[in-house]
Amino acid sequence: MDNVHVGVQVRGEPTQLISGDASEAQWVLDLDVVQTDEHVDFRGPIVQGKRGERFVYLTWGNLGASHFEMFRRAKLMLNRVDPEVIGSAILFGGLAAIVDLTDKKGGPRCARIDPPAVRWAADPRRTHP
């Protein structure tokens, strides 16, 4: 493959593609946090999975002249974010995931991404309009 890119999957389609050899990648994404007495849930076009197992896909693929050919995906598991971090993120208006996109062999990170490959934090730079 000679034109590898990574992006966020919205419904079934990759968006905001960034070259796989970029020094860093950043996406600003919107999702809704729904808080009930029993749990926190996430909703929106970037949210995948059933209630209690929500996640966001990062999708890797080769960008050809006419289409994106996906070959790997990574899951950012929203249900694994510490509830205190979610509470702070709601107050600050944003949640950040800092992700190491390169695996131990130097390839694209795929499958479920767990710490230390991902670190979640409230992001005070994000505010809702």
Side-chain angles (χ1 to χ4, degrees), residues 9-82:
Q9 185 171 311
V10 176
R11 294 185 177 87
E13 298 297 319
T15 62
Q16 301 183 43
L17 295 174
I18 296 174
S19 177
D21 62 359
S23 61
E24 70 176 45
Q26 181 175 336
W27 297 275
V28 176
L29 310 168
D30 290 319
L31 59 85
D32 294 321
V33 179
V34 180
Q35 193 163 357
T36 68
D37 292 337
E38 300 163 5
H39 66 278
V40 173
D41 195 15
F42 303 91
R43 300 204 181 117
I46 64 164
V47 177
Q48 312 284 330
K50 62 184 181 178
R51 188 178 327 168
E53 299 176 12
R54 305 280 197 214
F55 60 90
V56 173
Y57 268 134
L58 297 180
T59 185
W60 293 91
N62 194 43
L63 187 58
S66 61
H67 71 286
F68 178 84
E69 182 180 347
M70 192 269 296
F71 64 85
R72 286 205 172 99
R73 289 190 295 196
K75 285 183 176 182
L76 297 176
M77 303 301 296
L78 297 169
N79 66 333
R80 293 179 177 236
V81 180
D82 183 302

